[in-house]
Amino acid sequence: MIIDHARLLAFASRIVAAGGSSPAEAAIVAEHLVEANLRGHDSHGVGMLVAYVRDFEGGTLKANQAPEVVSDTGTISVWDAHAGYGQVVARKAVEWAIGAAREHGVAVNGLRNAHHIGRVGTYGEIAAREGMVALHFVNVASGPPGVAPFRGREGRFLTNPVCIAIPGTASNEPILLDFATSRVALGKVRVAYNAKKPMLDGALLDHTGKPTINPAVMYTQPRGVVLPFGEHKGSGLALVCELLAGAIVGSSSVTTMTPPERGIINGMLTIVIDPARLSTRDAMLAEIDAMIAWVKSAAPADPDLPVLVAGEPERIARAERLARGIEIDGETWSQLSAIAERYQIKVDR
Ligand code: NAD
């Protein structure tokens, strides 16, 4: 099923509004989700609404929740979202950090207990557009941990993403490194399972520890695991994300196979740096341009696959999907349609 992004946006915002969100909140959440689809990350697109509806119906996602400011020294702040929409509160937290970094050179925000903040790159993009460098470390505290540590066959983490954003220049868009520390985001296993497609090699183990490409191992008992990316390196980064965004920020974390039912909860440590405090702006921009050109000048190993820099694949996907529409797999569409029917929401095709 292929749907135009504007129609999908209207549909998604009606579903969010059905949970009691103000029109402004529904618009921010829907826009975030549709942007994730546009940028090729269907794992974090409108398919997430199935979980959001489950959570607002179950009371673990709170509509129109203002964050509590736990502390604020001007350069370091801690906010508790109390399970409000992550897309709204994480955006506000990053906007706070950009303002504080502009004033003081650097700012740190610890965000506790946000409901799913979605595609973390969204927040890096906001900072980079303002000429800032941003680093985001995120933990996930929801449901049994499905990501194994290096050498493990039992889950101990969730997908704990990292995002680093570097401002763009007159000739280059920002560098946006934004990924889960698992070999694949769990949402991508869901998308493959719904679409009845195999996963890539090296992403999953079944419950006995045997490598598999069958996404069903994450949806049947005893459950399998997703592996960390990059063996011990990704596993180490997942642990550090967990500790920075969980233990150090003071947000929830998962230290049991049977955590309390709390919906999809993210903690996030954000560090925003004004790069103008580290070097002269013109020299920095020239060096960024030179480095990107240098990296992209490497001869491709496969002539059909040019060398790209982080952020580029998403921009390519966005241009294509704006033009051709967004493909939603049949299972996801039928789940969304069932919700729409229950809330008497009209779907404009
Ligand atoms: P991914 O594996 O597609 O990696 C994406 C990153 O790699 C991007 O920075 C992209 O620009 C870069 N990249 C991809 N192909 C490239 C190439 N050929 N050359 C250069 N760079 C390239 O992403 P993922 O791990 O599946 O994560 C998807 C999304 O899920 C991310 O936006 C992440 O923030 C989000 N996520 C969110 C949560 C949460 O709890 N909120 C958890 C996990 C993941």
Side-chain angles (χ1 to χ4, degrees):
M1 145 99 201
I2 295 194
I3 182 161
D4 171 73
H5 75 281
R7 293 206 164 98
L8 194 57
L9 183 62
F11 177 54
S13 94
R14 283 180 212 139
I15 292 184
V16 179
S21 289
S22 65
E25 179 164 278
I28 291 172
V29 175
E31 197 179 315
H32 178 116
L33 296 174
V34 174
E35 264 303 313
N37 286 116
L38 280 174
R39 288 175 191 267
H41 292 295
D42 295 323
S43 56
H44 287 70
V46 296
M48 286 307 301
L49 285 168
V50 176
Y52 293 6
V53 171
R54 176 201 66 202
D55 290 353
F56 70 57
E57 287 178 345
T60 53
L61 164 56
K62 312 261 189 265
N64 310 316
Q65 176 78 51
E68 174 198 357
V69 177
V70 179
S71 63
D72 187 344
T73 66
T75 53
I76 301 187
S77 68
V78 177
W79 294 12
D80 196 321
H82 295 298
Y85 271 101
Q87 284 90 349
V88 177
V89 71
R91 172 178 288 263
K92 284 191 185 147
V94 168
E95 285 166 354
W96 172 87
I98 292 167
R102 192 161 282 133
E103 202 175 329
H104 303 288
V106 62
V108 179
N109 174 263
L111 179 61
R112 297 179 182 169
N113 304 315
H115 191 268
H116 195 230
I117 62 172
R119 191 177 71 91
V120 186
T122 309
Y123 314 108
E125 274 159 17
I126 295 172
R129 266 201 302 272
E130 296 294 323
M132 298 286 164
V133 169
L135 296 92
H136 305 275
F137 300 92
V138 178
N139 82 333
V140 191
S142 40
V147 179
F150 181 55
R151 295 186 174 177
R153 68 175 168 85
E154 287 182 320
R156 288 295 180 266
F157 309 117
L158 282 123
T159 49
N160 295 0
V162 181
C163 172
I164 300 175
I166 309 282
T169 68
S171 32
N172 280 295
E173 294 289 328
I175 295 290
L176 196 80
L177 190 63
D178 168 33
F179 53 68
T181 47
S182 48
R183 181 76 176 79
V184 289
L186 274 179
K188 289 196 170 138
V189 187
R190 182 196 75 231
V191 171
Y193 179 65
N194 284 344
K196 300 185 175 40
K197 288 188 178 157
M199 290 301 300
L200 69 171
D201 261 337
L204 301 173
L205 299 181
D206 70 14
H207 72 279
T208 67
K210 208 162 101 275
T212 177
I213 53 169
N214 182 2
V217 298
M218 296 307 292
Y219 297 92
T220 42
Q221 294 298 339
R223 199 172 176 227
V225 286
V226 178
L227 292 168
F229 87 91
E231 303 185 325
H232 55 290
K233 301 177 191 185
S235 185
L237 194 53
L239 174 61
V240 165
C241 278
E242 183 58 55
L243 295 175
L244 289 173
I248 289 169
V249 159
S251 194
S252 306
S253 59
V254 178
T255 49
T256 160
M257 290 309 279
T258 51
E261 187 39 67
R262 47 162 92 99
I264 309 173
I265 291 293
N266 285 142
M268 174 160 74
L269 179 76
T270 293
I271 303 165
V272 173
I273 303 166
D274 180 355
R277 311 285 185 119
L278 291 167
S279 81
T280 58
R281 193 176 153 71
D282 287 350
M284 173 191 78
L285 295 177
E287 192 57 30
I288 290 174
D289 279 339
M291 183 48 74
I292 292 174
W294 172 239
V295 169
K296 287 175 64 81
S297 72
D302 175 340
D304 292 333
L305 296 174
V307 173
L308 304 176
V309 292
E312 241 184 318
E314 286 76 11
R315 289 193 289 277
I316 294 168
R318 191 172 193 277
E320 280 172 10
R321 290 178 174 209
L322 275 176
R324 291 207 204 119
I326 294 168
E327 186 173 347
I328 308 282
D329 70 83
E331 177 59 28
T332 301
W333 189 252
S334 81
Q335 290 172 359
L336 292 175
S337 302
I339 291 169
E341 203 175 307
R342 209 144 40 82
Y343 285 96
Q344 298 178 339
I345 293 167
K346 199 168 143 274
V347 189
D348 301 325
R349 303 285 272 277

